[in-house]
């Protein structure tokens, strides 16, 4: 194969259908095989045909006569085929979108350049993203020869490289282009005959000739039902949903890839398969927070799963049942009469951790006041400096993380075990036994605060529940009262203790039918999660066998510009912290050309003061809603920093702005209330996970606030921890948006350091507000 020729109709088909945006779809794979020359004849849609002629491949839509076309010279641009499948589709999509705009006389995008001498350049990857790969295009190939013989507009992709070569003066070789041009007539005849043969075979045979996925755009509503969704899932998503749940199965990917939906569909398919086989099956679905639990229950109900939903843990009323719960509720059930509702810090896991932080601050201040002087000779110089120079709220946040992940998470509250643990790379800077002893002392003060309030934190509840599951009574009852399958959403938000409950709840200790979703970049702080640590949590004995991971790469929620911005944020985190997981390195946006038209390049807007910025936040949210023709509640105002968030709420109240404040992670019910009442959604990055909006306005992403800095935050370990958390919060906030992201900051503070690489790469358009 020396060339590939696409006509204008084929370009329109390929760029408008979601199934051609990613190789994770079957038709996306087919398109890749056409580009690589392994498929010479195929039907991509009901009117788009692939045929072979004149030493090349044509992708045509016969029936409209000769059309505008673009030729890719495969011999001259051989490096194009060295890209992986995702890169190949990305480059093709960017190229044919440029071609379509050029034919229509539209303005080129930021990644496209019209240069002199009838040349053009298309950058498929974001400019500044450590690659200068570009497609060089001739806008008038073989012009003298074609002028009187070809009325259609033609383009030639004649080079793909990371350098400009001869630039505008470069003369492309047109041998293969002439073959493509001269062979078009015969190719259209072949394409038309192919469509006619398919129609005859379809009418005269009972066998299925073509599986048509004409309307395969991923539905934005989530009520397609199991059968409906199975038709539009990507190959990897479909494999996850359909695979038998025998060993632990992980689905992993960045925000917006449909992990939660796939987990719900897998649970539904599991119980429906059991129903069709006449087998009893009790499934447990665990969400991280109470609002998320309610959202997942709605997901089941909207996708024909209401008949399987159970309201209690007994699961005896139905032969096939799904119980959706939170970890707190699950553990309270396991402890039954041993703990009351009032003794829980909070039933919502996320809210409980906010309350725990207040206790942690008390513990830090008491330890520093009462114990520091006697322990200071045994502390390392770096830890002593950290305690003296770091603000107490920052120490408390890091202590809370240390307690959850290390002291209770891995050391079972045992000082000797804690001393033997390797310190977290991003966490409390404890280097010596003396450091760990004082950290443990701060933990004891924290625990004393809990006891004084007669409450138990999440880890206390979980550890107590685990003890209930490690008894002869449970081992005898396990086969009857355990679960046939367990599904866990947002596993990255749980610590080791919390994950250690689940493998004890299956019906047999010899099988772990557990499916769980992961996006490690949404987990605040260094939890040390690796493939091995997840496997150890769900198979501590190591006897079940290796878990089955599914990694999904197609981002359905976010526009390409937003994916690029999120990638830049996570990349800057990756360069700062070697263990920062970046799920976007291999991801691709699955947006169609029509969806891209609704999108706009993310903006950073400077304001003269915080007051004008708060006023501007609601003005920009209102403007975005009008521009995109969506409801006010489809644009979220996300405020960074506790102080600014409180000020924004006061501003909204004093100016009578119609707002619905979201203060629980993933609270879809609050968003629904906002839509029904025509209000703005006002929230913080800690609470916005699990939600989705047409656009977001991020407020206060400027120097000194993201990440927070102050008089006691210059010490490197504390600043690193806050930097780490700030990268993750910003990543979560950005990836809530489908089409638009606007970021507001105080001009005097300048933009956040985290965004400097994005600004340098041209991924953010900088503007100055008029107010």
């Amino acid at each position: 194969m020396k060339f590939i020729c696409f006509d204008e109709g084929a370009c329109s088909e390929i760029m408008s259908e979601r199934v051609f945006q990613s190789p994770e779809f079957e038709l996306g794979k087919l398109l890749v095989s056409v580009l690589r020359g392994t498929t010479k004849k195929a039907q991509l849609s009901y009117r788009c045909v692939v045929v072979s002629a004149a030493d090349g491949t044509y992708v045509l839509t016969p029936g409209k006569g000769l059309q505008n076309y673009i030729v890719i010279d495969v011999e001259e641009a051989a490096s194009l085929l060295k890209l992986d499948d995702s890169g190949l589709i990305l480059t093709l999509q960017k190229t044919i979108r440029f071609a379509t705009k050029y034919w229509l006389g539209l303005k080129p995008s930021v990644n496209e350049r019209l240069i002199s001498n009838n040349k053009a350049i298309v950058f498929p990857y974001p400019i500044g993203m450590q690659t200068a790969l570009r497609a060089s295009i001739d806008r008038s190939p073989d012009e003298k020869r074609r002028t009187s013989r070809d009325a259609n507009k033609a383009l030639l992709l004649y080079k793909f490289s990371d350098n400009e070569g001869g630039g505008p003066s470069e003369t492309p070789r047109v041998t293969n282009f002439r073959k493509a041009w001269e062979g078009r007539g015969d190719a259209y005849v072949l394409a038309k005959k192919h469509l006619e043969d398919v129609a005859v075979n379809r009418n005269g045979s009972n066998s299925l000739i073509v599986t048509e996925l004409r309307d395969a755009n991923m539905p934005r509503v989530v009520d397609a039902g199991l059968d409906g969704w199975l038709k539009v899932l990507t190959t990897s998503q479909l494999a996850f949903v359909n695979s038998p749940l025998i060993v632990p199965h992980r689905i992993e990917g960045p925000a917006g890839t449909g992990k939660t939906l796939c987990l719900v569909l897998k649970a539904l398919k599991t119980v429906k398969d059991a129903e069709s086989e006449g087998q009893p099956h009790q499934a447990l679905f665990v969400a991280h927070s109470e609002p998320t639990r309610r959202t997942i229950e709605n997901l089941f109900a909207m996708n024909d799963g209401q008949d399987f939903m159970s309201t209690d843990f007994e699961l005896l009323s139905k032969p096939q049942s799904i119980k959706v719960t939170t970890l707190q509720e699950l553990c309270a059930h396991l402890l039954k009469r041993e703990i009351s509702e009032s003794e829980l810090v909070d039933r919502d896991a996320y809210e409980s951790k906010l309350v725990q932080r207040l206790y942690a601050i008390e513990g830090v201040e008491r330890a520093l006041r009462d114990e520091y002087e006697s322990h200071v000779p045994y502390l390392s110089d770096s830890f002593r400096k950290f305690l003296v120079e770091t603000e107490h709220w920052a120490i408390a946040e890091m202590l809370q993380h240390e307690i959850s992940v290390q002291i209770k998470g891995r050391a079972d509250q045992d000082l000797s075990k804690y001393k033997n643990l390797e310190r977290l790379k991003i966490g409390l800077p404890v280097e010596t036994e003396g450091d760990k002893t004082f950290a443990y002392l701060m933990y004891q003060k924290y625990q004393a605060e809990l006891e004084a309030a007669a409450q138990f934190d999440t880890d206390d509840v979980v550890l107590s529940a685990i003890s209930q599951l490690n008894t002869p009574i449970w081992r005898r009852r396990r086969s009857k009262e355990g679960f046939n399958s367990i599904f866990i959403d947002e596993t990255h938000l749980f610590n080791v203790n919390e994950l250690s409950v689940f493998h004890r709840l299956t019906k047999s200790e010899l099988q772990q039918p557990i499916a769980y979703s992961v996006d490690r970049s949404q987990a605040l702080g260094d939890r040390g999660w690796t493939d091995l640590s997840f496997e150890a949590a769900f198979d501590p004995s190591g006897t079940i066998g290796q878990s089955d991971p599914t990694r999904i790469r197609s981002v359905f929620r976010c526009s390409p510009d937003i994916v690029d911005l999120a990638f830049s944020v996570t990349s800057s985190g990756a360069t700062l912290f070697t263990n920062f997981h970046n799920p976007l390195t291999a991801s691709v946006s699955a947006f169609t050309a029509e969806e891209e038209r609704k999108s706009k390049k993310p903006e950073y807007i400077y304001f003269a003061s915080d007051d004008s910025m708060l006023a501007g936040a609601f003005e920009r949210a209102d403007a975005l809603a009008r521009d995109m023709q969506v409801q006010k509640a489809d644009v979220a105002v996300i405020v960074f920093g506790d102080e600014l968030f409180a000020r924004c709420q006061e501003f909204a109240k004093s100016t009578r702005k119609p707002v619905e404040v979201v203060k629980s992670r993933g609270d879809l019910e609050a968003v629904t209330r906002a839509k029904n009442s025509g209000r703005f959604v006002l929230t913080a990055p800690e609470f916005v996970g699990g939600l989705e909006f047409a656009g977001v306005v991020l407020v206060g992403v400027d120097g000194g606030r993201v990440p927070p800095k102050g008089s006691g935050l210059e010490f490197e370990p504390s600043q690193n921890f806050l930097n780490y958390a700030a990268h993750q919060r910003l990543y979560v906030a950005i990836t809530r948006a489908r089409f638009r992201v606007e970021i507001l900051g105080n001009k005097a503070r300048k933009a956040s350091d985290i965004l400097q690489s994005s600004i340098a790469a041209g991924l953010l358009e900088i503007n100055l507000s008029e107010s």
Side-chain angles (χ1 to χ4, degrees):
M1 181 179 72
K2 296 182 178 180
F3 63 83
I4 309 174
C5 177
F6 295 85
D7 72 8
E8 188 171 359
C11 291
S12 177
E13 289 278 310
I14 291 170
M15 72 183 196
S16 63
E17 295 290 347
R18 192 180 299 276
V19 290
F20 297 121
Q21 311 301 318
S22 166
E24 293 196 340
F25 289 106
E26 285 296 336
L27 286 180
K29 285 183 179 178
L30 178 59
L31 179 59
V32 167
S33 71
V34 170
L35 294 171
R36 297 197 185 281
T38 55
T39 297
K40 304 288 187 182
K41 185 177 181 180
Q43 185 169 353
L44 297 180
S45 74
Y46 77 99
R47 64 174 183 171
C48 186
V49 178
V50 179
V51 294
S52 180
D55 292 333
T57 297
Y58 292 84
V59 186
L60 308 172
T61 51
K64 296 183 177 181
L66 296 178
Q67 305 170 41
N68 298 329
Y69 59 100
I70 178 170
V71 176
I72 300 175
D73 191 328
V74 176
E75 286 189 328
E76 293 297 302
S79 58
L80 178 64
L81 299 183
K82 295 179 181 178
L83 296 173
D84 63 12
D85 291 352
S86 295
L88 188 56
I89 282 190
L90 174 66
T91 302
L92 176 68
Q93 287 286 349
K94 296 290 187 181
T95 300
I96 63 177
R97 292 179 193 198
F98 162 76
T100 301
K101 282 184 283 188
Y102 177 73
W103 292 325
L104 294 174
L106 301 178
K107 182 181 177 181
S109 303
V110 67
N111 65 315
E112 301 162 354
R113 303 282 192 275
L114 296 179
I115 56 179
S116 60
N117 204 17
N118 278 325
K119 299 295 194 308
I121 299 294
V122 174
F123 294 89
Y125 296 96
I127 298 171
M129 249 187 61
Q130 300 184 11
T131 179
L133 285 171
R134 67 197 70 189
S136 299
I137 296 172
D138 190 338
R139 291 182 279 149
S140 296
D142 206 13
E143 184 176 18
K144 291 182 180 179
R145 183 167 177 158
R146 287 179 48 250
T147 300
S148 60
R149 301 171 58 188
D150 188 357
N152 301 115
K153 296 179 182 177
L155 296 171
L156 170 64
L157 193 161
Y158 63 89
K159 189 173 74 172
F160 185 76
S161 68
D162 59 0
N163 63 77
E164 61 184 20
S169 61
E170 192 169 34
T171 303
R173 190 169 75 97
V174 294
T175 304
N176 290 331
F177 172 79
R178 286 178 181 172
K179 290 182 179 181
W181 164 40
E182 293 170 352
R184 281 195 309 146
D186 293 338
Y188 271 107
V189 171
L190 289 173
K192 184 177 180 181
K193 185 176 184 305
H194 179 82
L195 284 183
E196 291 171 350
D197 290 344
V198 168
V200 170
N201 288 332
R202 185 185 293 127
N203 294 330
S205 171
N206 290 327
S207 60
L208 182 63
I209 304 299
V210 178
T211 299
E212 183 184 322
L213 297 179
R214 174 65 188 146
D215 190 20
N217 285 347
M218 202 70 148
R220 295 315 310 163
V221 294
V222 288
D223 57 355
L226 178 61
D227 294 337
W229 276 111
L230 293 181
K231 297 175 184 177
V232 295
L233 296 178
T234 67
T235 305
S236 54
Q237 288 174 327
L238 191 62
F240 173 79
V241 173
N242 285 334
S243 61
L245 190 54
I246 300 172
V247 298
H249 194 161
R250 177 171 79 248
I251 184 166
E252 185 168 355
T257 48
K259 298 184 296 295
T260 299
L261 174 66
C262 288
L263 208 60
V264 167
L265 295 177
K266 188 174 183 70
L268 264 179
K269 189 173 189 305
T270 299
V271 294
K272 286 193 173 186
D273 286 349
E275 182 184 43
S276 64
E277 296 168 4
Q279 298 292 325
H281 192 103
Q282 282 73 50
L284 178 71
F285 198 111
V286 182
H288 185 259
S289 67
E290 185 63 25
T292 306
R293 181 194 67 78
R294 294 193 295 267
T295 299
I296 288 170
E297 281 189 337
N298 290 334
L299 262 178
F300 276 110
M302 295 170 69
N303 287 283
D304 303 327
Q306 62 271 16
D307 293 339
F308 297 104
M309 303 306 293
S310 176
T311 57
D312 55 46
F313 283 94
E314 302 308 320
L315 302 175
L316 298 177
S317 57
K318 304 174 184 178
Q320 296 84 27
S321 303
I322 302 173
K323 171 60 181 176
V324 184
T325 185
T326 63
L327 183 63
Q328 289 275 36
E329 183 184 14
L330 173 63
C331 291
H333 163 73
L334 294 172
L335 294 171
K336 294 182 178 175
R337 297 181 181 177
E338 295 189 17
I339 187 170
S340 67
E341 181 83 18
S342 62
E343 290 177 299
L344 294 172
V345 171
D346 195 290
R347 182 169 287 279
D348 185 288
Y350 195 88
E351 293 291 338
S352 72
K353 289 173 183 176
L354 297 181
V355 177
Q356 285 171 235
R357 187 166 302 167
L358 299 177
Y359 292 137
I361 291 174
E362 289 292 326
V364 167
E365 292 180 344
R366 284 185 57 195
L368 290 174
R369 183 181 65 244
D370 301 337
E371 309 290 347
Y372 176 76
E373 290 300 327
S374 59
H375 283 77
V376 70
Y378 308 103
L379 303 179
S380 66
D381 291 341
S382 60
F383 192 61
R384 187 186 310 121
K385 185 178 180 182
F386 165 75
L387 293 174
V388 171
E389 297 184 5
T390 305
E391 293 180 0
H392 290 177
W393 66 266
I395 298 176
E397 186 171 351
M398 297 174 73
L399 173 65
Q400 184 183 0
H401 185 66
E402 188 80 4
I403 292 170
S404 178
V405 178
Q406 295 283 75
I407 297 175
K408 290 186 176 182
R410 293 186 170 96
D412 297 328
Q413 305 175 85
D414 187 304
L415 177 59
S416 59
K417 290 182 181 179
Y418 176 51
K419 288 180 178 179
N420 292 327
L421 289 177
E422 184 177 350
R423 64 156 291 195
L424 294 171
K425 292 180 181 179
I426 306 299
L428 210 61
V430 285
E431 301 289 351
T432 66
E433 287 194 3
D435 296 345
K436 290 186 177 180
T437 299
F438 192 78
Y440 194 83
L441 186 62
M442 289 192 292
Y443 150 68
Q444 288 180 321
K445 301 291 186 183
Y446 157 82
Q447 196 69 19
E449 293 292 330
L450 274 179
E451 293 173 5
Q455 288 185 315
F456 299 93
D457 67 8
T458 307
D459 294 288
D460 290 333
V461 175
V462 169
L463 290 170
S464 299
I466 290 174
S467 68
Q468 294 289 309
L469 298 173
N470 192 28
T471 62
I473 294 176
W474 172 250
R475 285 193 287 270
R476 182 179 297 180
R477 293 177 175 173
R478 182 172 182 169
S479 61
K480 291 184 178 180
E481 299 182 12
F483 296 92
N484 297 93
S485 60
I486 299 175
F487 303 85
I488 311 164
D489 190 34
E490 298 187 301
T491 311
H492 47 270
L493 297 178
F494 295 103
N495 64 32
V496 174
N497 269 338
E498 293 165 336
L499 293 186
S500 297
V501 173
F502 301 114
H503 75 272
R504 303 169 189 265
L505 294 173
T506 55
K507 282 188 175 292
S508 170
E509 61 184 27
L510 301 178
Q511 284 189 316
Q512 298 299 326
I514 301 174
Y516 58 103
S517 65
V518 174
D519 177 4
R520 279 172 265 183
S521 285
Q522 291 195 48
L524 295 181
D526 172 23
R527 292 183 176 270
W529 286 132
T530 63
D531 290 352
L532 289 177
S533 61
F534 279 122
E535 289 178 12
F538 296 118
D539 180 20
S541 64
T543 59
I544 304 301
Q546 189 171 6
S547 65
D548 185 13
T550 295
R551 290 181 172 87
I552 46 180
R553 303 166 60 182
S554 299
V555 180
F556 297 101
R557 178 186 300 142
C558 306
S559 72
D561 285 334
I562 294 174
V563 170
D564 292 342
L565 178 60
F567 174 84
S568 177
V569 169
T570 54
S571 294
S572 65
T575 58
L576 184 60
F577 313 119
T578 57
N579 63 326
F580 188 99
H581 180 71
N582 187 357
L584 290 163
T585 52
S587 69
V588 290
S589 172
F591 259 39
T592 64
E594 178 61 30
E595 289 172 315
E596 279 198 39
R597 278 192 281 272
K598 300 177 185 177
S599 307
K600 191 176 178 182
K601 185 178 179 180
E603 293 184 49
Y604 192 101
I605 305 174
Y606 282 115
F607 285 82
S609 66
D610 284 357
D611 289 340
S612 63
M613 180 173 64
L614 294 179
F618 294 100
E619 291 173 4
R620 293 310 310 152
D622 209 13
L624 285 179
R626 288 196 308 270
D627 193 25
M628 291 187 288
Q629 296 182 330
V630 297
Q631 293 178 275
K632 289 180 178 177
D634 287 321
V635 180
V637 177
I638 306 173
V639 186
F640 285 71
D642 294 340
E643 180 185 353
L644 195 62
F645 186 38
R647 285 182 60 188
C648 193
Q649 292 177 71
E650 286 298 322
F651 174 84
K653 184 177 180 180
S654 63
T655 56
R656 298 186 177 181
K657 297 288 184 184
V659 298
E660 184 74 36
V661 182
V662 175
K663 288 188 176 181
S664 295
R665 192 180 195 278
D667 193 351
L668 188 59
E669 291 183 359
V671 176
T672 302
R673 289 196 300 271
K675 288 183 178 180
N676 292 337
S677 57
R679 299 182 178 185
F680 295 105
V681 172
L682 176 61
T683 187
E686 292 86 350
F687 311 118
V688 79
L691 299 176
E692 178 179 315
F693 302 91
V696 296
V697 178
L698 312 186
V699 185
V701 188
D702 46 26
R705 268 195 286 245
V706 181
K709 292 181 181 179
S711 58
L713 296 179
E714 287 78 11
F715 190 65
E716 184 178 2
S718 57
Q719 192 59 59
N720 279 354
F721 181 87
L722 296 172
N723 286 354
Y724 196 101
H727 276 86
Q728 291 164 316
R729 290 187 178 110
L730 188 54
Y731 159 74
V732 172
I734 288 171
T735 53
R736 297 309 98 193
R738 296 195 65 216
F739 305 115
R740 307 283 182 91
V741 172
E742 292 193 358
I743 305 176
L744 315 186
N746 188 317
K747 187 179 180 181
R749 291 174 174 267
K750 299 184 179 180
S752 166
D753 290 343
I754 297 175
L755 293 174
Q756 292 304 324
S757 59
S758 305
I759 294 171
L763 301 177
L764 275 172
E765 185 173 307
I766 305 299
N767 289 304
L768 184 64
S769 74
E770 297 178 358
S771 55

